Amino acid sequence: KAGVTQTPRYLIKTRGQQVTLSCSPISGHRSVSWYQQTPGQGLQFLFEYFSETQRNKGNFPGRFSGRQFSNSRSEMNVSTLELGDSALYLCASSLAWRDSSYEQYFGPGTRLTVT
Amino acid sequence: GNSVTQMEGPVTLSEEAFLTINCTYTATGYPSLFWYVQYPGEGLQLLLKATKADDKGSNKGFEATYRKETTSFHLEKGSVQVSDSAVYFCALRLIQGAQKLVFGQGTRLTINP
């Protein structure tokens, strides 16, 4: 079974631009979560989707948004990029939500650099 | 709130040494506990987990025991290898609630031959 895939793997953008990152969960997984990883703040939760609905949101500004499609694939969008948005963005999928017995499986991440 | 505190790194050991990485947590509810490992240039891999007090998670020679009385989940391995060099993250997730993981700051481990 294929793992979680994220595209693109690397991205360079300029301040003020917007970016869209994509995540394809493991087949059969319906929950997708996004995390931001930076050297200074570590791993921080962005949001979680299940059945095309956002179920939980972290403490990030409204410039960060996401969505989930009927096939469980998810995208996250960051508008008006700032230098501080440079990070590794990780996607994780799980069979379901609201049940901690279901493990989260992480993708390799998208490395975003904002210049 | 919910938080995880790990021992500060980096940690450098010789091959075959004993490893301990300390992890303590604060949680408003009853959490499941996890150790994830991140190799250079890769995402996170689940190393082991424990879902209730006194449970011991184990995998690839690593072990951690869920200690509710000390709110701890320390990672141990009896004999480390060069291939264990990576960053290790302790994390919690509340049993009732969303899939959100709360991570510690990570501990970078380097094993020298």
Short mmCIF file of all heavy atoms in Angstrom, two decimals, chain B residues 31-77:
data_model
loop_
_atom_site.label_atom_id
_atom_site.label_comp_id
_atom_site.label_asym_id
_atom_site.label_seq_id
_atom_site.Cartn_x
_atom_site.Cartn_y
_atom_site.Cartn_z
N PRO B 31 -4.30 11.09 27.91
CA PRO B 31 -3.72 11.01 26.57
C PRO B 31 -3.20 9.64 26.17
O PRO B 31 -2.91 8.80 27.03
CB PRO B 31 -2.54 11.98 26.67
CG PRO B 31 -2.09 11.83 28.10
CD PRO B 31 -3.35 11.58 28.90
N SER B 32 -3.07 9.43 24.88
CA SER B 32 -2.21 8.39 24.34
C SER B 32 -0.86 9.04 24.11
O SER B 32 -0.77 10.23 23.81
CB SER B 32 -2.76 7.85 23.01
OG SER B 32 -3.94 7.12 23.22
N LEU B 33 0.20 8.24 24.23
CA LEU B 33 1.56 8.78 24.12
C LEU B 33 2.32 8.08 23.00
O LEU B 33 2.13 6.88 22.76
CB LEU B 33 2.30 8.60 25.45
CG LEU B 33 1.64 9.28 26.65
CD1 LEU B 33 2.37 8.89 27.94
CD2 LEU B 33 1.62 10.79 26.48
N PHE B 34 3.19 8.84 22.34
CA PHE B 34 3.87 8.35 21.14
C PHE B 34 5.33 8.80 21.14
O PHE B 34 5.66 9.86 21.68
CB PHE B 34 3.21 8.90 19.87
CG PHE B 34 1.74 8.64 19.77
CD1 PHE B 34 0.82 9.47 20.41
CD2 PHE B 34 1.27 7.56 19.04
CE1 PHE B 34 -0.54 9.23 20.32
CE2 PHE B 34 -0.09 7.31 18.95
CZ PHE B 34 -0.99 8.15 19.59
N TRP B 35 6.15 8.02 20.49
CA TRP B 35 7.48 8.44 20.08
C TRP B 35 7.55 8.33 18.56
O TRP B 35 7.23 7.27 17.99
CB TRP B 35 8.57 7.60 20.72
CG TRP B 35 8.93 8.04 22.09
CD1 TRP B 35 8.52 7.50 23.27
CD2 TRP B 35 9.80 9.14 22.44
NE1 TRP B 35 9.07 8.20 24.33
CE2 TRP B 35 9.86 9.20 23.86
CE3 TRP B 35 10.54 10.07 21.70
CZ2 TRP B 35 10.61 10.15 24.54
CZ3 TRP B 35 11.29 11.02 22.38
CH2 TRP B 35 11.32 11.05 23.77
N TYR B 36 7.95 9.45 17.94
CA TYR B 36 8.18 9.48 16.50
C TYR B 36 9.66 9.71 16.25
O TYR B 36 10.35 10.34 17.05
CB TYR B 36 7.38 10.61 15.85
CG TYR B 36 5.92 10.32 15.64
CD1 TYR B 36 5.00 10.55 16.66
CD2 TYR B 36 5.45 9.82 14.42
CE1 TYR B 36 3.65 10.28 16.46
CE2 TYR B 36 4.10 9.55 14.22
CZ TYR B 36 3.21 9.79 15.24
OH TYR B 36 1.88 9.52 15.06
N VAL B 37 10.15 9.24 15.10
CA VAL B 37 11.53 9.45 14.71
C VAL B 37 11.56 10.09 13.33
O VAL B 37 10.73 9.78 12.47
CB VAL B 37 12.33 8.12 14.73
CG1 VAL B 37 11.72 7.09 13.79
CG2 VAL B 37 13.79 8.35 14.38
N GLN B 38 12.49 11.01 13.15
CA GLN B 38 12.64 11.70 11.87
C GLN B 38 14.08 11.59 11.41
O GLN B 38 14.99 12.13 12.05
CB GLN B 38 12.24 13.17 12.00
CG GLN B 38 12.22 13.93 10.68
CD GLN B 38 11.70 15.34 10.83
OE1 GLN B 38 11.94 16.00 11.84
NE2 GLN B 38 10.97 15.84 9.83
N TYR B 39 14.28 10.89 10.30
CA TYR B 39 15.60 10.79 9.70
C TYR B 39 15.81 11.97 8.76
O TYR B 39 14.84 12.57 8.28
CB TYR B 39 15.74 9.46 8.95
CG TYR B 39 15.61 8.27 9.87
CD1 TYR B 39 14.42 7.54 9.95
CD2 TYR B 39 16.68 7.87 10.68
CE1 TYR B 39 14.29 6.46 10.81
CE2 TYR B 39 16.55 6.79 11.54
CZ TYR B 39 15.36 6.11 11.60
OH TYR B 39 15.24 5.04 12.47
N PRO B 40 17.04 12.32 8.49
CA PRO B 40 17.33 13.50 7.66
C PRO B 40 16.57 13.49 6.35
O PRO B 40 16.59 12.51 5.62
CB PRO B 40 18.84 13.41 7.45
CG PRO B 40 19.35 12.66 8.63
CD PRO B 40 18.28 11.67 8.96
N GLY B 41 15.90 14.61 6.07
CA GLY B 41 15.21 14.76 4.80
C GLY B 41 13.92 13.98 4.68
O GLY B 41 13.34 13.90 3.59
N GLU B 42 13.45 13.43 5.78
CA GLU B 42 12.23 12.62 5.72
C GLU B 42 11.16 13.16 6.66
O GLU B 42 11.39 14.06 7.47
CB GLU B 42 12.56 11.17 6.09
CG GLU B 42 13.52 10.51 5.13
CD GLU B 42 13.74 9.05 5.47
OE1 GLU B 42 12.99 8.49 6.28
OE2 GLU B 42 14.69 8.45 4.91
N GLY B 43 9.96 12.59 6.53
CA GLY B 43 8.89 12.92 7.45
C GLY B 43 9.03 12.13 8.74
O GLY B 43 10.08 11.55 9.02
N LEU B 44 7.97 12.12 9.53
CA LEU B 44 7.99 11.43 10.81
C LEU B 44 7.53 9.99 10.66
O LEU B 44 6.59 9.70 9.92
CB LEU B 44 7.06 12.14 11.80
CG LEU B 44 7.37 13.60 12.10
CD1 LEU B 44 6.28 14.18 12.99
CD2 LEU B 44 8.71 13.71 12.78
N GLN B 45 8.19 9.11 11.39
CA GLN B 45 7.77 7.72 11.44
C GLN B 45 7.39 7.38 12.88
O GLN B 45 8.13 7.73 13.81
CB GLN B 45 8.90 6.79 11.00
CG GLN B 45 9.36 6.97 9.58
CD GLN B 45 10.52 6.05 9.26
OE1 GLN B 45 10.71 5.00 9.88
NE2 GLN B 45 11.33 6.44 8.28
N LEU B 46 6.27 6.71 13.04
CA LEU B 46 5.88 6.28 14.38
C LEU B 46 6.84 5.18 14.84
O LEU B 46 7.02 4.17 14.17
CB LEU B 46 4.46 5.75 14.37
CG LEU B 46 3.94 5.22 15.70
CD1 LEU B 46 3.85 6.34 16.73
CD2 LEU B 46 2.57 4.56 15.52
N LEU B 47 7.45 5.39 16.01
CA LEU B 47 8.37 4.42 16.55
C LEU B 47 7.65 3.46 17.51
O LEU B 47 7.78 2.24 17.42
CB LEU B 47 9.51 5.13 17.28
CG LEU B 47 10.62 4.29 17.87
CD1 LEU B 47 11.30 3.45 16.81
CD2 LEU B 47 11.64 5.17 18.60
N LEU B 48 6.89 4.05 18.45
CA LEU B 48 6.11 3.21 19.37
C LEU B 48 5.04 4.07 20.02
O LEU B 48 5.08 5.29 19.95
CB LEU B 48 7.02 2.57 20.43
CG LEU B 48 7.94 3.46 21.23
CD1 LEU B 48 7.25 4.09 22.43
CD2 LEU B 48 9.16 2.67 21.72
N LYS B 49 4.10 3.39 20.65
CA LYS B 49 3.01 4.12 21.30
C LYS B 49 2.52 3.34 22.52
O LYS B 49 2.76 2.13 22.67
CB LYS B 49 1.85 4.33 20.33
CG LYS B 49 1.08 3.06 19.98
CD LYS B 49 -0.15 3.37 19.13
CE LYS B 49 -0.96 2.11 18.87
NZ LYS B 49 -2.16 2.38 18.04
N ALA B 50 1.79 4.06 23.39
CA ALA B 50 1.14 3.45 24.54
C ALA B 50 -0.16 4.21 24.79
O ALA B 50 -0.17 5.44 24.72
CB ALA B 50 2.02 3.49 25.78
N THR B 51 -1.22 3.50 25.03
CA THR B 51 -2.52 4.15 25.11
C THR B 51 -3.11 4.20 26.51
O THR B 51 -4.13 4.86 26.73
CB THR B 51 -3.53 3.48 24.17
OG1 THR B 51 -3.64 2.10 24.55
CG2 THR B 51 -3.09 3.59 22.73
N LYS B 52 -2.49 3.51 27.47
CA LYS B 52 -3.00 3.60 28.84
C LYS B 52 -1.87 3.41 29.82
O LYS B 52 -0.79 2.90 29.50
CB LYS B 52 -4.12 2.60 29.09
CG LYS B 52 -3.74 1.15 28.94
CD LYS B 52 -4.96 0.28 29.17
CE LYS B 52 -4.61 -1.19 29.19
NZ LYS B 52 -4.10 -1.69 27.91
N ALA B 53 -2.14 3.82 31.05
CA ALA B 53 -1.13 3.79 32.10
C ALA B 53 -0.54 2.39 32.25
O ALA B 53 -1.26 1.39 32.18
CB ALA B 53 -1.74 4.27 33.41
N ASP B 54 0.79 2.34 32.44
CA ASP B 54 1.59 1.12 32.64
C ASP B 54 1.79 0.31 31.37
O ASP B 54 2.48 -0.71 31.40
CB ASP B 54 0.99 0.23 33.74
CG ASP B 54 0.93 0.93 35.07
OD1 ASP B 54 1.84 1.72 35.37
OD2 ASP B 54 -0.05 0.72 35.82
N ASP B 55 1.21 0.76 30.27
CA ASP B 55 1.49 0.11 28.98
C ASP B 55 2.94 0.35 28.61
O ASP B 55 3.48 1.43 28.84
CB ASP B 55 0.61 0.71 27.88
CG ASP B 55 -0.64 -0.09 27.65
OD1 ASP B 55 -0.85 -1.09 28.37
OD2 ASP B 55 -1.40 0.27 26.74
N LYS B 56 3.56 -0.64 27.99
CA LYS B 56 4.91 -0.47 27.47
C LYS B 56 4.84 -0.59 25.96
O LYS B 56 4.39 -1.62 25.43
CB LYS B 56 5.86 -1.52 28.03
CG LYS B 56 7.27 -1.43 27.45
CD LYS B 56 8.18 -2.55 27.95
CE LYS B 56 8.63 -2.30 29.35
NZ LYS B 56 9.68 -3.30 29.76
N GLY B 57 5.29 0.44 25.27
CA GLY B 57 5.42 0.37 23.82
C GLY B 57 6.84 -0.05 23.48
O GLY B 57 7.79 0.31 24.18
N SER B 58 6.96 -0.85 22.41
CA SER B 58 8.31 -1.29 22.03
C SER B 58 8.37 -1.51 20.53
O SER B 58 7.38 -1.89 19.89
CB SER B 58 8.69 -2.57 22.77
OG SER B 58 7.80 -3.61 22.45
N ASN B 59 9.56 -1.26 19.97
CA ASN B 59 9.76 -1.44 18.53
C ASN B 59 11.24 -1.26 18.24
O ASN B 59 11.88 -0.33 18.76
CB ASN B 59 8.94 -0.43 17.74
CG ASN B 59 9.02 -0.65 16.24
OD1 ASN B 59 9.21 -1.76 15.78
ND2 ASN B 59 8.85 0.41 15.49
N LYS B 60 11.82 -2.14 17.44
CA LYS B 60 13.21 -2.03 16.98
C LYS B 60 14.18 -1.89 18.14
O LYS B 60 15.20 -1.20 18.02
CB LYS B 60 13.37 -0.83 16.04
CG LYS B 60 12.51 -0.91 14.79
CD LYS B 60 12.74 0.32 13.90
CE LYS B 60 11.86 0.25 12.67
NZ LYS B 60 12.06 1.42 11.78
N GLY B 61 13.89 -2.48 19.28
CA GLY B 61 14.78 -2.42 20.43
C GLY B 61 14.52 -1.23 21.34
O GLY B 61 15.09 -1.15 22.43
N PHE B 62 13.69 -0.31 20.91
CA PHE B 62 13.31 0.84 21.74
C PHE B 62 12.11 0.48 22.61
O PHE B 62 11.24 -0.28 22.20
CB PHE B 62 12.93 2.04 20.86
CG PHE B 62 14.09 2.66 20.12
CD1 PHE B 62 14.43 2.21 18.85
CD2 PHE B 62 14.82 3.68 20.68
CE1 PHE B 62 15.48 2.77 18.15
CE2 PHE B 62 15.87 4.27 20.00
CZ PHE B 62 16.21 3.81 18.73
N GLU B 63 12.08 1.06 23.81
CA GLU B 63 10.96 0.84 24.71
C GLU B 63 10.61 2.14 25.42
O GLU B 63 11.47 2.99 25.63
CB GLU B 63 11.33 -0.18 25.80
CG GLU B 63 11.55 -1.59 25.30
CD GLU B 63 11.85 -2.53 26.46
OE1 GLU B 63 12.24 -2.05 27.54
OE2 GLU B 63 11.69 -3.75 26.27
N ALA B 64 9.34 2.25 25.80
CA ALA B 64 8.90 3.37 26.64
C ALA B 64 7.69 2.92 27.41
O ALA B 64 6.81 2.24 26.86
CB ALA B 64 8.57 4.59 25.80
N THR B 65 7.62 3.28 28.69
CA THR B 65 6.51 2.88 29.55
C THR B 65 5.71 4.10 29.97
O THR B 65 6.27 5.11 30.41
CB THR B 65 7.02 2.14 30.80
OG1 THR B 65 7.75 0.98 30.38
CG2 THR B 65 5.85 1.70 31.67
N TYR B 66 4.42 4.02 29.83
CA TYR B 66 3.47 5.09 30.18
C TYR B 66 3.35 5.13 31.70
O TYR B 66 2.75 4.25 32.31
CB TYR B 66 2.13 4.75 29.55
CG TYR B 66 1.06 5.80 29.57
CD1 TYR B 66 0.25 5.98 28.45
CD2 TYR B 66 0.77 6.57 30.69
CE1 TYR B 66 -0.78 6.90 28.44
CE2 TYR B 66 -0.24 7.49 30.69
CZ TYR B 66 -1.03 7.66 29.56
OH TYR B 66 -2.05 8.56 29.57
N ARG B 67 3.91 6.17 32.31
CA ARG B 67 3.87 6.32 33.77
C ARG B 67 2.95 7.48 34.12
O ARG B 67 3.32 8.64 34.03
CB ARG B 67 5.27 6.59 34.32
CG ARG B 67 6.30 5.53 34.01
CD ARG B 67 6.05 4.28 34.80
NE ARG B 67 7.16 3.32 34.64
CZ ARG B 67 7.07 2.04 34.95
NH1 ARG B 67 5.92 1.54 35.39
NH2 ARG B 67 8.11 1.25 34.79
N LYS B 68 1.74 7.15 34.53
CA LYS B 68 0.77 8.19 34.83
C LYS B 68 1.14 8.93 36.11
O LYS B 68 0.96 10.15 36.23
CB LYS B 68 -0.63 7.58 34.98
CG LYS B 68 -1.75 8.59 35.09
CD LYS B 68 -3.10 7.91 35.19
CE LYS B 68 -4.21 8.93 35.31
NZ LYS B 68 -5.53 8.28 35.51
N GLU B 69 1.72 8.23 37.09
CA GLU B 69 2.03 8.87 38.38
C GLU B 69 3.12 9.93 38.26
O GLU B 69 3.12 10.90 39.00
CB GLU B 69 2.42 7.81 39.41
CG GLU B 69 3.68 7.03 39.09
CD GLU B 69 3.45 5.85 38.17
OE1 GLU B 69 2.35 5.75 37.57
OE2 GLU B 69 4.38 5.02 38.03
N THR B 70 4.02 9.74 37.28
CA THR B 70 5.08 10.73 37.07
C THR B 70 4.88 11.49 35.76
O THR B 70 5.74 12.29 35.38
CB THR B 70 6.47 10.04 37.03
OG1 THR B 70 6.44 9.01 36.03
CG2 THR B 70 6.82 9.45 38.39
N THR B 71 3.77 11.27 35.10
CA THR B 71 3.44 11.87 33.79
C THR B 71 4.66 11.82 32.87
O THR B 71 5.11 12.85 32.33
CB THR B 71 2.91 13.31 33.92
OG1 THR B 71 3.90 14.15 34.53
CG2 THR B 71 1.64 13.34 34.74
N SER B 72 5.19 10.62 32.68
CA SER B 72 6.40 10.47 31.88
C SER B 72 6.27 9.34 30.88
O SER B 72 5.43 8.44 31.03
CB SER B 72 7.61 10.22 32.79
OG SER B 72 7.47 8.98 33.47
N PHE B 73 7.13 9.40 29.85
CA PHE B 73 7.13 8.39 28.80
C PHE B 73 8.55 8.38 28.23
O PHE B 73 8.79 8.71 27.08
CB PHE B 73 6.09 8.74 27.74
CG PHE B 73 5.79 7.64 26.76
CD1 PHE B 73 5.40 6.38 27.19
CD2 PHE B 73 5.85 7.88 25.39
CE1 PHE B 73 5.10 5.37 26.28
CE2 PHE B 73 5.53 6.88 24.47
CZ PHE B 73 5.16 5.62 24.92
N HIS B 74 9.51 7.97 29.03
CA HIS B 74 10.92 8.02 28.65
C HIS B 74 11.26 6.94 27.63
O HIS B 74 10.87 5.77 27.79
CB HIS B 74 11.81 7.85 29.88
CG HIS B 74 11.53 8.84 30.96
ND1 HIS B 74 11.23 10.16 30.72
CD2 HIS B 74 11.50 8.68 32.32
CE1 HIS B 74 11.04 10.79 31.87
NE2 HIS B 74 11.18 9.91 32.86
N LEU B 75 12.05 7.32 26.64
CA LEU B 75 12.47 6.38 25.59
C LEU B 75 13.80 5.76 25.97
O LEU B 75 14.73 6.47 26.37
CB LEU B 75 12.60 7.11 24.26
CG LEU B 75 12.98 6.26 23.04
CD1 LEU B 75 11.85 5.30 22.68
CD2 LEU B 75 13.32 7.15 21.85
N GLU B 76 13.92 4.43 25.83
CA GLU B 76 15.15 3.73 26.17
C GLU B 76 15.51 2.71 25.10
O GLU B 76 14.64 2.16 24.43
CB GLU B 76 15.00 3.00 27.53
CG GLU B 76 14.77 3.92 28.70
CD GLU B 76 14.68 3.15 30.01
OE1 GLU B 76 14.34 1.95 29.98
OE2 GLU B 76 14.94 3.75 31.06
N LYS B 77 16.83 2.51 24.97
CA LYS B 77 17.32 1.42 24.12
C LYS B 77 18.61 0.92 24.73
O LYS B 77 19.47 1.72 25.12
CB LYS B 77 17.55 1.88 22.69
CG LYS B 77 17.93 0.71 21.76
CD LYS B 77 18.05 1.14 20.31
CE LYS B 77 18.30 -0.10 19.43
NZ LYS B 77 18.47 0.23 18.00
#
